[in-house]
Amino acid sequence: MSATGKRTRVPGRGFTLIEMLVVLAIVALVSALAFPAVDRTLDARRAVAAGEAVGRALKAARAEALRGGAAVTLDVNSLRTRSDEAAPLPADAAIALTPQRIAFHADGSAIGGTARVETGGRSFGWRIEGETGLVRRIAEPQR
């Protein structure tokens, strides 16, 4: 209050309701645009993790055959179990083996073939070389 008893407005103290609503609207707009992008990024990371888990499981099976001196055979179910031990696969992950069983022999060689994992709209492939048993990532086309 002033000396005359009238209220005076002191400039620069606080924000008006309109200013706060404008800032809130901007924050809501940025959030609405950012959250779907974050969700897509997380889905892509989960898909990459699933592909890497299958690759690790294949390599671990080869190492087990070399170490143990006996053949190790994988089918879709055993590959999924081994992959889940490394990192749980997403529920929608589909694994395909060609041929349906891949065996790693005690000398390191293998029944050659491919393993493919599809999840979250992305596909990851692994080639198992017959003579050496090496597991190599198949390059996927860019999307």
Side-chain angles (χ1 to χ4, degrees):
M1 288 220 189
S2 69
T4 61
K6 293 184 180 178
R7 288 187 182 178
T8 59
R9 187 166 187 263
V10 179
R13 298 188 84 190
F15 301 102
T16 66
L17 180 60
I18 297 297
E19 290 170 333
M20 285 194 283
L21 289 176
V22 167
V23 169
L24 198 60
I26 291 170
V27 168
L29 180 65
V30 169
S31 296
L33 295 174
F35 286 142
V38 169
D39 194 38
R40 282 191 303 274
T41 301
L42 290 175
D43 285 345
R45 286 300 312 144
R46 280 189 213 100
V48 168
E52 290 172 351
V54 168
R56 281 192 304 275
L58 288 166
K59 291 174 185 178
R62 180 177 184 265
E64 182 181 328
L66 284 168
R67 206 175 32 251
V72 174
T73 303
L74 296 175
D75 60 10
V76 171
N77 291 331
S78 61
L79 186 57
R80 179 175 284 281
T81 301
R82 285 174 178 259
S83 299
D84 281 342
E85 290 171 3
L89 295 176
D92 68 338
I95 300 174
L97 291 177
T98 306
Q100 291 183 347
R101 293 183 184 273
I102 294 178
F104 292 96
H105 304 293
D107 64 356
S109 65
I111 295 175
T114 60
R116 182 162 302 282
V117 140
E118 291 188 28
T119 182
R122 300 190 69 182
S123 176
F124 297 88
W126 298 93
R127 183 178 66 244
I128 298 94
E129 296 179 2
E131 291 180 14
T132 61
L134 293 177
V135 179
R136 300 184 190 269
R137 179 96 166 26
I138 299 172
E140 299 295 329
Q142 295 294 323
R143 292 182 186 207

